Amino acid sequence: MIKKPTLIALTLCSLFSTTAVVAKMTSEEVARLGADLTPVGAEKAANADGSIPAWTGGIKTPPAGYSPGMHHPDPYGSDKVLFTIDKSNVEKYKANLSPGQVALFEAYPDTFKMNIYTTHRSASNPQFVYDATKQYAPTAELIEEGNGIKNTAIGIPFPIPKTGLEAIWNHLLRYRGLSIQRFGGQAAPTASGSYNMVGFDEQLLVKYSDPKATPAELQESNILFKFKQKVTEPARLAGTALLVHETMDQILTPRQAWTYNTGQRRVRRAPNVAYDAPGTAADSLRTTDDFDMFNGSPNRYTWTLKGKQELYIPYNSYKLHSDKLQYDDILMAGHVNPEHVRYEKHRVWVVEANLKGDTRHIYKKRVFYIDEDSWQVQVTDIYDNRDQMYRVAMAHTINYYDALTNWSTLDVYHDLNSRRYLAIGLDNQEKMYDFSQSFNDNEFTSSALRREGR
């Protein structure tokens, strides 16, 4: 039987249910931001034994020789492996592993391992994100039982979360740049390790993070971000496209989505691009709301903030991100090649989501482990309707120097039933993310989607 993880820094957060009335941040709490807490609410101090160091600002400038467009060089490339967790010693480290991570050792006892490195708290954001976090923290509030948000813009809305919903909204609204083009793809290796690549060209316009955004403007437009995705390979799927407008109040206006099908040569509204609908060309190895570890409306679950835990998570994954690797170097049967994966010990918020009795989803329970420094979900344990561990997802993150965002370079979704996994974000042999774009709203319309597909 898998032991439940030991939680540290357990607070009154766990006493608040999804629908509890929670007071806004007090002036005393706001004053802690940038003092004993980081500007986005993490604990600045090191942990008790020093294995997690104090946060000193994260990465603020790129390494020498870096210029935008390059794959990001590893600032910690000289670090050596401190120790390795494998089937022989996993019991010793269970307190700092999620049940899902332990399940991976059980599923792949002869090949899965975790190389543990020195912890570097590299997460950072632009100053305008820090300023907005402090400015709007006293006013930000959830509406419609947590299915919308108002009176906030740009920053982390709830830097000292009191409910699970507040913590998950921090993940949804974390800073990822403003106008971004991403190239890359995904692969779903079979049980034998063979795979085919699916290529993507993606564009993201984040209205919420615009330094000029105001709560009133966001509430009036009711748009958080706009996302467009075009499949570039294989040939049978090339030209298929998706457009999403994510809303701020999902009761007033639910997510709007459109798809373009090359066979029909038509744009269609796609209201089912949400919840547990299968992800694009993903061999049914993830749901739509698995993308980016979690996205969309949280209304089908009750959310509980369980506290904090020290966890070994993928972090500073520059080696896995390197353009010196081929996809064959990364993808193998069962899981990605552990020789290229870096794990560090970090403090994470633990948020448990349980399916409401009057709703449906193929996931009955999800437990999210959210990095305190970036509000990125790093690990997700996913349970099926039999209360069995079903899937385990991990986000392998880096600090993108050209945007000052700690974001995933590769998301990996492990399906324990099929003994397969999906790797999304493979970009080692592609052009690097471009954070310098200046997309406008006209490029995120149904007409633009039709042009993209053609």
Side-chain angles (χ1 to χ4, degrees):
M1 180 178 291
I2 297 173
K3 297 178 182 178
K4 293 182 179 179
T6 301
L7 295 180
I8 63 169
L10 191 61
T11 69
L12 289 176
C13 301
S14 60
L15 300 179
F16 291 98
S17 70
T18 299
T19 56
V21 177
V22 181
K24 297 177 184 177
M25 280 183 61
T26 65
S27 58
E28 290 78 10
E29 288 175 319
V30 173
R32 297 181 62 193
L33 301 177
D36 65 304
L37 301 180
T38 73
V40 297
E43 297 172 52
K44 265 190 179 180
N47 67 344
D49 64 6
S51 56
I52 300 174
W55 184 81
T56 57
I59 292 178
K60 300 175 183 176
T61 56
Y66 169 78
S67 60
M70 295 173 57
H71 277 69
H72 302 73
D74 188 350
Y76 313 118
S78 61
D79 287 0
K80 304 299 182 184
V81 176
L82 298 178
F83 59 91
T84 298
I85 305 174
D86 58 24
K87 65 177 180 179
S88 70
N89 61 0
V90 66
E91 289 290 331
K92 178 180 176 182
Y93 297 103
K94 272 189 174 180
N96 300 117
L97 299 170
S98 80
Q101 289 175 317
V102 174
L104 291 175
F105 286 98
E106 297 172 350
Y108 309 106
D110 297 326
T111 57
F112 186 74
K113 65 180 182 179
M114 295 170 63
N115 288 328
I116 310 301
Y117 290 80
T118 299
T119 296
H120 297 282
R121 297 178 67 179
S122 54
S124 63
N125 287 146
Q127 186 62 44
F128 69 81
V129 174
Y130 297 153
D131 293 342
T133 297
K134 197 161 191 174
Q135 178 180 355
Y136 297 120
T139 61
E141 62 180 306
L142 295 179
I143 57 175
E144 305 290 357
E145 296 187 340
N147 298 307
I149 191 168
K150 69 177 183 179
N151 297 333
T152 187
I154 307 165
I156 297 298
F158 308 108
I160 305 179
K162 298 178 174 67
T163 70
L165 268 173
E166 290 184 348
I168 206 68
W169 271 100
N170 287 347
H171 163 77
L172 294 172
L173 298 179
R174 73 200 188 281
Y175 181 74
R176 286 165 287 173
L178 304 173
S179 188
I180 309 105
Q181 185 156 25
R182 305 195 302 180
F183 307 94
Q186 68 182 28
T190 65
S192 66
S194 63
Y195 64 90
N196 294 308
M197 287 292 296
V198 178
F200 294 115
D201 178 353
E202 298 175 337
Q203 299 172 353
L204 179 64
L205 179 62
V206 189
K207 310 290 281 187
Y208 176 85
S209 296
D210 187 331
K212 299 177 182 177
T214 67
E217 291 169 345
L218 289 170
Q219 192 164 346
E220 181 180 358
S221 70
N222 199 29
I223 294 292
L224 289 173
F225 65 78
K226 297 181 178 181
F227 172 75
K228 187 168 59 178
Q229 179 189 74
K230 181 176 70 175
V231 179
T232 58
E233 62 171 319
R236 62 183 176 84
L237 296 176
T240 302
L242 168 70
L243 173 66
V244 172
H245 290 183
E246 195 71 272
T247 57
M248 199 159 180
D249 180 344
Q250 302 210 10
I251 298 300
L252 178 65
T253 307
R255 166 186 287 174
Q256 301 173 72
W258 300 261
T259 57
Y260 176 79
N261 184 289
T262 54
Q264 298 173 339
R265 297 186 179 181
R266 292 183 61 185
V267 172
R268 292 181 178 271
R269 291 295 296 263
N272 293 327
V273 177
Y275 303 113
D276 57 357
T280 304
D283 278 9
S284 296
L285 292 172
R286 74 164 178 88
T287 61
T288 294
D289 63 6
D290 271 333
F291 189 72
D292 194 34
M293 305 303 280
F294 181 79
N295 73 91
S297 173
N299 68 336
R300 294 194 178 180
Y301 291 88
T302 57
W303 300 80
T304 304
L305 191 61
K306 308 292 287 187
K308 277 187 179 179
Q309 181 180 355
E310 293 181 1
L311 200 73
Y312 291 117
I313 57 177
Y315 218 89
N316 291 311
S317 302
Y318 294 95
K319 186 175 181 181
L320 189 63
H321 171 79
S322 172
D323 59 355
K324 303 298 189 295
L325 294 179
Q326 302 293 320
Y327 299 134
D328 282 349
D329 298 325
I330 296 171
L331 301 170
M332 55 184 282
H335 49 79
V336 298
N337 189 338
E339 296 300 338
H340 303 306
V341 180
R342 177 185 182 119
Y343 293 89
E344 301 177 359
K345 184 192 285 186
H346 288 260
R347 285 184 293 246
V348 296
W349 287 100
V350 183
V351 176
E352 183 175 302
N354 286 280
L355 188 64
K356 294 177 180 177
D358 59 347
T359 61
R360 63 162 302 279
H361 197 289
I362 64 170
Y363 300 157
K364 184 177 179 180
K365 184 174 81 170
R366 306 157 93 157
V367 183
F368 298 93
Y369 301 86
I370 307 174
D371 172 38
E372 68 168 348
D373 288 331
S374 65
W375 293 102
Q376 160 83 47
V377 172
Q378 299 280 166
V379 178
T380 310
D381 291 349
I382 302 169
Y383 297 80
D384 62 20
N385 287 297
R386 302 169 299 159
D387 297 312
Q388 300 296 310
M389 187 71 68
Y390 179 14
R391 290 174 176 166
V392 186
M394 288 193 277
H396 300 261
T397 59
I398 65 170
N399 184 307
Y400 288 86
Y401 314 130
D402 35 348
L404 293 184
T405 175
N406 206 65
W407 197 8
S408 177
T409 180
L410 189 69
D411 289 338
V412 183
Y413 304 83
H414 302 267
D415 187 298
L416 297 175
N417 293 337
S418 66
R419 292 294 195 267
R420 295 183 64 195
Y421 68 96
L422 177 71
I424 301 179
L426 293 161
D427 59 7
N428 306 75
Q429 302 304 311
E430 316 300 329
K431 290 190 292 185
M432 188 32 51
Y433 292 8
D434 185 353
F435 293 93
S436 66
Q437 292 290 332
S438 55
F439 296 129
N440 60 56
D441 290 310
N442 292 334
E443 295 171 87
F444 294 86
T445 64
S446 58
S447 298
L449 186 68
R450 184 178 293 107
R451 292 193 299 271
E452 287 284 343
R454 291 173 180 170

